[in-house]
């Protein structure tokens, strides 16, 4: 309520200032100066015409003028780009490892339990590679080479009922060729 009252009060004050402080301007042409005269007859400021400083542009060609012929390129770089792209592709073929995710399915000391779990996982996820490592005295079974956590989580959800304690681990993965 008070904000409406204040905004109304400000609007009335501004209209009163605009009506009370009338100025007149005399304009005598393109190269003239403008002088503001206040209500009491005194001169306040003198403004100079700045037309000479404004940029000018040539007129646009008319529609009946003939269209300019397209300019043929003189320096072709397609071959250079192709050579560079081939060299980048060759370097990237040599990259075998990347940062990614794997599913840690089993950690324990029983080899038979690890092998049974491995066979059950292979039946559910036949397209994923498994990694069984032995570091005395424990076996670790990791599944897959996933670039993103989302991919790894999707695969983990397929085997979640088989492995309720399985978790995602961030590792260096093999890039499939």
């Amino acid at each position: 309520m008070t904000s409406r009252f204040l905004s109304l009060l400000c609007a009335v004050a501004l209209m009163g200032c605009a009506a009370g402080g009338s100025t007149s301007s005399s304009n005598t042409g393109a190269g003239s100066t403008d002088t503001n005269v206040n209500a009491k007859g005194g001169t306040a400021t003198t403004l100079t015409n700045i037309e000479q400083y404004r940029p000018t542009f040539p007129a646009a060609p008319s529609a009946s003028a003939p269209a300019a012929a397209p300019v043929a390129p003189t320096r072709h770089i397609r071959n250079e780009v192709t050579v560079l792209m081939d060299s980048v592709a060759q370097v990237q073929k040599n990259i075998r490892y990347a940062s990614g995710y794997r599913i840690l399915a089993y950690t324990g000391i029983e080899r038979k339990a690890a092998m049974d779990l491995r066979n059950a996982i292979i039946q559910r996820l036949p397209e994923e590679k498994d990694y069984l490592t032995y570091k005395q005295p424990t076996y670790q079974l990791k599944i897959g080479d996933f670039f993103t956590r989302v991919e790894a989580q999707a695969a983990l959800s397929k085997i979640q009922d088989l492995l309720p304690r399985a978790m995602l681990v961030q590792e260096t993965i093999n890039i499939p060729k």
Side-chain angles (χ1 to χ4, degrees), residues 67 83 123:
V83 168
Q123 289 177 357

Side-chain angles (χ1 to χ4, degrees), residues 21-35:
S22 64
T23 60
S24 64
S25 173
S26 63
N27 188 0
T28 58
S32 67
T33 59
D34 291 339
T35 305

Side-chain angles (χ1 to χ4, degrees), residues 65-171:
V71 178
T74 57
R75 179 154 158 58
H76 297 283
I77 60 170
R78 178 174 289 163
N79 295 335
E80 295 172 17
V81 170
T82 304
V83 168
L84 288 173
M85 292 298 288
D86 289 341
S87 66
V88 168
Q90 186 64 31
V91 168
Q92 289 182 349
K93 282 181 184 177
N94 296 331
I95 297 174
R96 296 184 182 147
Y97 307 104
S99 179
Y101 295 90
R102 288 192 178 142
I103 300 170
L104 179 61
Y106 177 77
T107 301
I109 58 173
E110 297 181 25
R111 177 174 164 71
K112 184 172 178 1
M115 293 304 287
D116 291 341
L117 192 56
R118 176 182 179 208
N119 292 334
I121 292 172
I122 288 173
Q123 289 177 357
R124 291 210 185 168
L125 299 172
E127 68 278 356
E128 299 300 335
K129 190 171 179 182
D130 59 290
Y131 300 94
L132 182 62
T133 58
Y134 176 69
K135 194 175 212 180
Q136 193 173 358
T138 60
Y139 290 92
Q140 278 193 341
L141 177 63
K142 295 179 183 173
I143 308 297
D145 291 316
F146 305 104
F147 285 105
T148 65
R149 189 174 183 91
V150 173
E151 294 171 351
Q153 189 65 43
L156 179 61
S157 67
K158 292 178 184 176
I159 58 173
Q160 191 72 43
D161 62 329
L162 185 63
L163 307 164
R165 291 186 295 171
M167 56 195 257
L168 301 179
V169 291
Q170 189 170 9
E171 261 190 28

Side-chain angles (χ1 to χ4, degrees), residues 43-54:
T43 355
T45 58
T46 303
L47 302 175
T48 307
N49 189 356
I50 56 170
E51 283 293 322
Q52 61 184 352
Y53 301 112
R54 293 187 185 201

